[in-house]
């Protein structure tokens, strides 16, 4: 007959988790320290409502101002681009005329 049974590392881990997981759960929900339970409720409400909605409520006004400023800048840049394209076309036409005159000479 064999002597005592030996626990494997996995069995020790399972036993450890059986004892420590309820303690961690109670500490996390605020049962162990009721003073921190109030702050936990606030955090859980924000988590449930979603980080994006909370984040967007705080920065919604400043974000719109930035977007409007960026739209104006884009319009100005497009206008400058159109002007430069027109100048480029004029210069290309002048260049073609000069090339034609040069060939005639």
């Amino acid at each position: 007959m064999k002597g005592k049974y030996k626990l494997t590392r996995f069995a020790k881990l399972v036993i450890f988790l059986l004892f420590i997981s309820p303690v961690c759960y109670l500490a996390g929900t605020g049962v162990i320290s009721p003073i921190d339970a109030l702050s936990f409720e606030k955090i859980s409400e924000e988590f449930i409502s979603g980080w994006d909605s909370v984040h967007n409520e705080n920065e919604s006004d400043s974000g719109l101002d930035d977007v409007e400023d960026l739209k104006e800048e884009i319009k100005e840049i497009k206008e400058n681009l159109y002007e430069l394209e027109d100048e480029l076309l004029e210069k290309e036409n002048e260049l073609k005329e000069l090339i034609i005159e040069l060939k005639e000479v």
Side-chain angles (χ1 to χ4, degrees):
M1 240 186 176
K2 274 190 167 181
K4 297 181 180 180
Y5 290 106
K6 291 187 177 181
L7 291 177
T8 62
R9 290 181 185 172
F10 180 73
K12 291 178 184 178
L13 175 68
V14 170
I15 293 170
F16 173 75
L17 290 176
L18 285 174
F19 287 110
I20 200 70
S21 58
V23 173
C24 291
Y25 175 76
L26 293 175
T29 57
V31 174
I32 291 178
S33 64
I35 296 172
D36 294 334
L38 298 175
S39 64
F40 178 74
E41 289 175 3
K42 290 179 183 177
I43 293 172
S44 63
E45 288 174 5
E46 290 177 1
F47 181 75
I48 290 170
S49 65
W51 184 82
D52 289 335
S53 63
V54 172
H55 185 69
N56 290 337
E57 288 174 3
N58 294 335
E59 295 184 2
S60 62
D61 296 334
S62 64
L64 292 177
D65 294 338
D66 293 341
V67 169
E68 291 175 5
D69 292 341
L70 290 174
K71 284 183 180 180
E72 290 175 10
E73 288 182 26
I74 289 173
K75 286 179 184 178
E76 292 175 4
I77 291 173
K78 283 184 179 180
E79 290 174 1
N80 289 338
L81 179 66
Y82 292 138
E83 291 174 3
L84 290 173
E85 285 178 346
D86 290 340
E87 287 181 28
L88 180 64
L89 287 174
E90 289 176 6
K91 298 294 181 182
E92 285 179 351
N93 289 336
E94 289 178 11
L95 182 64
K96 286 179 184 178
E97 290 174 3
L98 289 173
I99 290 174
I100 291 173
E101 288 180 8
L102 190 76
K103 286 182 180 178
E104 291 175 355
V105 173

